[in-house]
Amino acid sequence: MIFIRLWMFFAGVLAVLFLGWVGLVGAPGVQLAALPAQTGLRPYTYQQEHGRQIYIREGCVYCHTQQTRPPGFGGDQGRRWGRPSVPGDYVFDQPHLLGTSRTGPDLLNIGARQPSAEWHYAHLFNPRAVVPQSIMPRFPWLFELKAAADPGEPVVDAPAEFRPGGGVITPTREGVDLVEYLRGMDRTYPVKP
Amino acid sequence: MKPENTDRPGEHWSLPPLLGETDSPEIHEIHRSILQRERLEPQEGAEPAPWWVWAVSVAVLFCMGIYLGRYGGSFKPVAHELEMGSAGAASTASARPAPNGADIFSAICITCHQAGGTGIEGKYPPLAGSEWIAKDAGIPVRIVLNGLEGPIQVKGKQFVNQMPSIGAQLEDDEIAAVLSFVRSSWGNSSGKVPTELVTKLRRETAGQGAWTADKLNAIGGKP
Amino acid sequence: MTSITKELETVEFRERLDAESAIPVLVFLASGVLWLLVGSALGIIASIKLHAPDWLATIPQLTFGRVRPAHLDVVAYGWASLAGVGCLIWLTSRLCKTPIRQRGALIASAALWNLGVLYGTGAVLFGYSQGVEWLEYPLPAAAIIAVAFLLFAWSILSTFHARQAEHLYVSLWYVIASVVWFPILFVVANLPIYSGVEHAAVNWWYGHNALAIWFTPIGLALAYYMIPKVIGRPIYSYYLSLLGFWSFALFYNWNGIHHLVGGPVPTWLQTISIIASVLMVIPVMAVAVNHHMTTIGHFKLLRTSPTLRFTVFGAMCYTAVSFQGSAEALRNTQEVVHFTHYTVGHAHLGVYAFLSMILFGSMYYIIPRVTAWDWPRPGAIRLHFWLAALGISLYFLALTIGGWLQGMAMNNPAEPFVNVVAGTRGWLILRSIGGSMMGLGHLVFAFLFFEMLWRAGPRRGASPWEDAK
């Protein structure tokens, strides 16, 4: 017999699950909840939060991380992706988007690295127009083809093949908000312990 | 315990009619023959576990005890403790090897200015053979520190774009290293950029927004 | 052997057990097979998109970032779970030596489960994902699946309660433990109350535990049954079974945070997960020795029994993937492979080469017993095996080598990032080829499966390619 009494088996089974939960979720949860947000960190604006939803919807997280590793651990510092990130950098993130794959570069500080909205529009519309060897998907549905841009509206620098019959390509509200989110990604403020 | 199947002796349990042939004696026959070919239900053997299984288990537990002592950290909610000490990321790495300009170029500038410093037609101006980096080292230092925007003429071609300020991402000696690298690669040959120059310009241009070609020309850096 | 035990092993009695579990088992298995086809198609699309990014590029529902999670969810919650449940129902009835209970609940469970997977996957493809790996399904879909799981658990536990077996065979420990564990895990992880780094911890506590306390127990329960059953000899050592089960239960559920090594997570937390991952050597060794010593001397049966061939392949891959996992969790390895395609290769060694192969093997055993029909085409079974085995081998090798090189290049800041990306291309193409072979194997298998459902195809009596002499 695997146990003296059947209830002991069930008790054991429940106990191991509970222990694991305490160790991996409960205890760190209590510790982390006591940490303050980093002072340099701003909550997302409404527009950025909407952009974040687009980021989730399009599954950017399956190719991009948002976590930077310390010196001596991988090439993150050498690649200048930003100082090592700490728990206080993420307090406004729900859901978290730390990610597990770097098919593309880390984006935790993409706003500091690439503040140009135009670059982002051109890149999202067709990454290979900007980085010829890229394997990142295009996101043409975040853009629309128009006869002419409204005043002040950004225009994507796209070759004529994408504009049958002329006209201009402009980002939709979703595209604009996504880029706002990306441009706001900046955790370069100094860390407070 | 009383086995259930003796309750109703001789009762015929048939499989459900499936999508094809329906239930028939023949189907029973097939099922029976499959079951007859079957071996006994599995039992537990009573061999003892080999001694080395226990030995390896104890050894692994022991090693992991040592591992915990070595890498366990302080049980505080601090990330990167092993690399950066218990103050975590708040402490700055003190001893840093001398920066390598080529590495910094590959990490930062290459996204826009491309490998070989060729740039992209109509988007990013070339660094190879550019007149803007050739003469006065102060000009590229200012561009990297504070960014550049608006129309600019490079090697006879017009660009109207925007380069972000990179000053906050790089230390003074790193900017000096990358520009020294740029100024002595791909046919460029205008020599090293001293760190002191970067330090001096960083202080002088603090608060300065992005440069434009005109402003740079006004300082006297006109190529 | 007591007379009662003998009575419980007669052909008539087993005929009755099979007959009573047939409908629920077939409903679950058929759903699983259909989801397998859907999941394979999604997987192949996602794979091709990584080296041909402009293929199908204008359809939002088919962008990589949606197809990739849809693939994972379909194969995990559709194929592996549904086929797994189908096999576990049959297994529980056999091991408890009593007809399966609550068959109505099982049918309802199958219906709800399919609905949940359909809804959840549709939601991911149409842009309503929760955005959390392994937990993409929106809450209503997750809730439907939770209810379906509880109905299934109810049936298993009622059957267990009514058991007539005197001894509880090791497979049953895994089954019972997992039906208790999984619903708790699934509900706790889906609660919409977490944020930031703590959410990441919950995410990977769940993500790894989905394997640890649901998929792996399915695979092990089936392997522990099929190997001695087909060979016709007891499992080697009860003591090894005990050591294997309890060390498994104790260590496996602490593994999750090895998915966050190097990240913004407290150092001690990363370290205990790494330690638990290495300690998995103990249960894995116990299981491997137990299976190996049982099979030893009977390896020639691998030639004639598809069940044994698939199952032993799966059991060997369990050992391989677990040892790989222990080594992969270490900080030095994580530093290289964490964010690369290497991890994807590892995941498929687990969920495909181990779990799916054992599911195939078990289905080759179970289906004839619930349809009363012999597998019609030995050649096709052989074709299925080789497509699956060679396909996953190519898949695994390509991503393991390619992923390692990717990691080394990524850690070298002098290597521009685009070169890292370009360097993976060839390996990703090889992966697509391996994946397509697996997909082709699934088509063969599905064809055979539906022939069995219709009792179609050539009739065969006992032939060399069958389960036991």
Side-chain angles (χ1 to χ4, degrees):
Chain A
M1 268 292 149
I2 36 167
F3 33 76
I4 326 285
R5 294 270 182 279
L6 194 55
W7 67 263
M8 291 183 184
F9 173 77
F10 281 102
V13 158
L14 287 172
V16 292
L17 183 66
F18 180 68
L19 271 178
W21 179 85
V22 169
L24 300 194
V25 178
V30 171
Q31 280 193 336
L32 292 168
L35 291 179
Q38 284 294 325
T39 36
L41 185 67
R42 292 243 140 75
Y44 298 109
T45 63
Y46 179 79
Q47 201 183 9
Q48 288 169 340
E49 187 57 49
H50 182 237
R52 199 166 189 272
Q53 293 306 320
I54 309 298
Y55 187 96
I56 292 169
R57 185 182 83 187
E58 304 302 349
C60 312
V61 72
Y62 298 100
C63 288
H64 291 287
T65 54
Q66 295 189 3
Q67 49 176 315
T68 37
R69 302 187 289 178
F73 203 92
D76 301 32
Q77 295 306 312
R79 290 190 182 277
R80 321 270 152 177
W81 281 339
R83 59 148 176 87
S85 59
V86 295
D89 291 330
Y90 298 94
V91 291
F92 301 118
D93 284 15
Q94 190 172 26
H96 85 93
L97 293 173
L98 292 187
T100 50
S101 167
R102 282 182 180 167
T103 302
D106 188 86
L107 295 182
L108 189 67
N109 293 301
I110 184 65
R113 186 158 78 232
Q114 183 50 278
S116 156
E118 261 164 61
W119 186 90
H120 284 294
Y121 291 134
H123 186 247
L124 287 170
F125 182 73
N126 181 9
R128 277 155 295 291
V130 193
V131 184
Q133 282 174 301
S134 180
I135 56 168
M136 172 159 147
R138 329 200 298 242
F139 296 95
W141 51 92
L142 302 179
F143 299 86
E144 58 193 344
L145 184 60
K146 278 185 176 176
D150 298 338
E153 196 179 26
V155 171
V156 181
D157 173 18
E161 58 177 300
F162 291 107
R163 294 179 281 125
V168 295
I169 288 174
T170 59
T172 62
R173 213 192 110 223
E174 293 181 341
V176 172
D177 290 356
L178 175 59
V179 168
E180 253 338 278
Y181 168 64
L182 292 173
R183 278 163 32 99
M185 292 290 286
D186 181 353
R187 268 93 162 172
T188 51
Y189 47 80
V191 175
K192 292 267 288 276
Chain B
M1 239 189 285
K2 191 161 134 52
E4 284 168 22
N5 60 329
T6 53
D7 290 352
R8 291 169 278 183
E11 180 150 359
H12 222 68
W13 289 95
S14 46
L15 283 165
L18 290 182
L19 303 166
E21 254 178 272
T22 48
D23 195 30
S24 69
E26 202 195 340
I27 298 291
H28 273 292
E29 223 20 73
I30 301 176
H31 195 191
R32 294 257 162 107
S33 84
I34 292 173
L35 293 174
Q36 263 149 10
R37 279 182 264 138
E38 211 174 82
R39 303 300 185 85
L40 279 183
E41 293 295 329
Q43 308 274 318
E44 319 262 7
E47 300 288 335
W51 64 268
W52 58 267
V53 168
W54 298 109
V56 173
S57 304
V58 172
V60 173
L61 277 166
F62 181 74
C63 293
M64 285 303 103
I66 295 178
Y67 192 93
L68 181 64
R70 169 86 179 68
Y71 296 107
S74 62
F75 201 73
K76 292 202 211 97
V78 179
H80 320 305
E81 236 176 309
L82 301 173
E83 295 83 5
M84 314 191 66
S86 59
S91 69
T92 40
S94 47
R96 194 163 49 82
N100 176 334
D103 285 0
I104 300 175
F105 180 82
S106 302
I108 298 189
C109 322
I110 206 169
T111 1
C112 301
H113 294 289
Q114 307 296 310
T118 56
I120 295 183
E121 275 271 5
K123 290 200 175 79
Y124 301 110
L127 298 181
S130 158
E131 56 273 32
W132 290 90
I133 52 169
K135 270 204 182 150
D136 176 2
I139 297 300
V141 171
R142 286 186 176 85
I143 294 178
V144 172
L145 279 173
N146 303 311
L148 176 72
E149 64 190 18
I152 182 170
Q153 195 85 15
V154 184
K155 285 170 85 178
K157 297 229 168 68
Q158 173 90 354
F159 296 85
V160 189
N161 203 336
Q162 178 195 353
M163 167 166 157
S165 136
I166 301 177
Q169 272 183 69
L170 295 174
E171 301 291 332
D172 294 348
D173 57 344
E174 293 175 321
I175 294 180
V178 68
L179 285 175
S180 301
F181 167 77
V182 168
R183 276 159 58 97
S184 57
S185 306
W186 324 300
N188 294 347
S189 54
S190 9
K192 287 184 79 108
V193 177
T195 304
E196 298 72 48
L197 177 65
V198 184
T199 316
K200 175 170 154 274
L201 286 175
R202 194 193 283 275
R203 210 172 336 103
E204 283 175 9
T205 64
Q208 161 86 39
W211 296 94
T212 61
D214 289 343
K215 282 195 213 161
L216 289 172
N217 285 334
I219 307 175
K222 192 175 177 62
Chain C
M1 201 184 283
T2 65
S3 68
I4 289 179
T5 316
K6 257 203 192 108
E7 188 109 46
L8 291 176
E9 297 235 339
T10 59
V11 166
E12 288 72 24
F13 186 61
R14 281 178 284 138
E15 189 181 11
R16 173 184 175 192
L17 295 187
D18 290 356
E20 295 220 16
S21 53
I23 288 192
V25 168
L26 284 172
V27 169
F28 273 101
L29 294 185
S31 321
V33 172
L34 288 175
W35 285 117
L36 175 65
L37 297 182
V38 177
S40 311
L42 290 169
I44 293 169
I45 294 176
S47 174
I48 292 176
K49 277 173 166 272
L50 276 189
H51 49 80
D54 285 317
W55 181 59
L56 300 177
T58 52
I59 308 167
Q61 288 76 23
L62 292 183
T63 187
F64 177 84
R66 303 191 194 184
V67 174
R68 145 79 176 71
H71 160 71
L72 180 133
D73 292 333
V74 166
V75 293
Y77 301 116
W79 153 245
S81 292
L82 284 162
V85 166
C87 294
L88 292 191
I89 294 170
W90 181 86
L91 186 69
T92 306
S93 157
R94 281 290 186 106
L95 289 175
C96 293
K97 299 199 161 77
T98 192
I100 194 77
R101 301 303 150 103
Q102 313 301 350
R103 287 188 295 166
L106 284 176
I107 302 298
S109 166
L112 284 175
W113 207 310
N114 278 302
L115 180 71
V117 176
L118 187 67
Y119 174 6
T121 308
V124 171
L125 290 176
F126 282 86
Y128 299 94
S129 164
Q130 290 206 63
V132 184
E133 265 179 89
W134 283 93
L135 292 167
E136 285 92 357
Y137 284 178
L139 286 184
I144 294 173
I145 292 178
V147 173
F149 198 100
L150 287 174
L151 289 171
F152 156 66
W154 179 33
S155 158
I156 293 292
L157 292 175
S158 326
T159 309
F160 178 70
H161 188 66
R163 71 193 176 279
Q164 301 185 83
E166 287 167 47
H167 176 75
L168 298 183
Y169 183 66
V170 46
S171 294
L172 210 48
W173 316 343
Y174 285 95
V175 177
I176 299 301
S178 72
V179 302
V180 174
W181 281 331
F182 189 71
I184 303 177
L185 173 75
F186 191 67
V187 170
V188 173
N190 266 299
L191 297 177
I193 55 173
Y194 313 105
S195 69
V197 168
E198 154 143 76
H199 194 196
V202 175
N203 184 181
W204 290 109
W205 172 70
Y206 174 81
H208 201 89
N209 268 355
L211 300 170
I213 69 185
W214 175 228
F215 294 117
T216 306
I218 297 178
L220 289 183
L222 289 168
Y224 260 119
Y225 182 88
M226 292 301 163
I227 293 175
K229 178 80 180 175
V230 173
I231 293 177
R233 120 203 256 216
I235 195 82
Y236 177 68
S237 164
Y238 173 69
Y239 305 100
L240 279 175
S241 303
L242 263 182
L243 173 68
F245 177 79
W246 283 111
S247 54
F248 170 93
L250 206 56
F251 302 141
Y252 215 171
N253 86 77
W254 288 76
N255 276 8
I257 311 300
H258 69 207
H259 290 261
L260 295 167
V261 174
V265 178
T267 297
W268 65 266
L269 187 55
Q270 301 179 20
T271 300
I272 52 171
S273 269
I274 295 172
I275 289 176
S277 312
V278 176
L279 290 178
M280 282 305 291
V281 165
I282 297 171
V284 172
M285 181 175 56
V287 170
V289 172
N290 222 0
H291 288 173
H292 183 77
M293 297 307 281
T294 310
T295 320
I296 209 156
H298 294 266
F299 280 101
K300 62 178 187 307
L301 278 176
L302 294 183
R303 297 177 59 81
T304 53
S305 162
T307 299
L308 202 62
R309 185 187 282 199
F310 276 93
T311 309
V312 167
F313 183 96
M316 281 164 39
C317 288
Y318 172 66
T319 312
V321 72
S322 305
F323 285 158
Q324 185 196 20
S326 297
E328 194 175 337
L330 293 170
R331 299 174 60 84
N332 294 344
T333 338
Q334 275 301 292
E335 184 179 352
V336 178
V337 301
H338 185 14
F339 297 123
T340 69
H341 300 302
Y342 181 97
T343 328
V344 181
H346 173 68
H348 284 76
L349 190 62
V351 178
Y352 195 85
F354 156 51
L355 178 64
S356 297
M357 291 301 261
I358 287 185
L359 286 173
F360 290 135
S362 306
M363 285 165 78
Y364 279 118
Y365 196 83
I366 295 170
I367 293 167
R369 285 157 180 78
V370 288
T371 55
W373 199 250
D374 275 306
W375 288 98
R377 300 171 203 278
I381 299 180
R382 228 170 264 134
L383 181 65
H384 172 209
F385 178 80
W386 287 112
L387 281 172
L390 294 178
I392 185 65
S393 306
L394 178 60
Y395 185 114
F396 175 73
L397 286 176
L399 289 193
T400 302
I401 302 171
W404 186 271
L405 297 176
Q406 182 195 7
M408 295 301 281
M410 196 143 41
N411 283 355
N412 172 12
E415 185 75 74
F417 195 87
V418 280
N419 292 3
V420 181
V421 174
T424 58
R425 215 180 167 99
W427 303 107
L428 292 172
I429 293 176
L430 283 182
R431 186 263 293 266
S432 288
I433 298 174
S436 306
M437 287 168 66
M438 288 147 66
L440 226 68
H442 301 160
L443 283 178
V444 174
F445 178 64
F447 176 76
L448 283 171
F449 177 83
F450 287 103
E451 265 195 337
M452 291 292 281
L453 266 195
W454 263 268
R455 292 200 184 107
R459 269 286 297 282
R460 294 183 316 112
S463 87
W465 184 250
E466 62 174 31
D467 287 314
K469 284 180 296 191

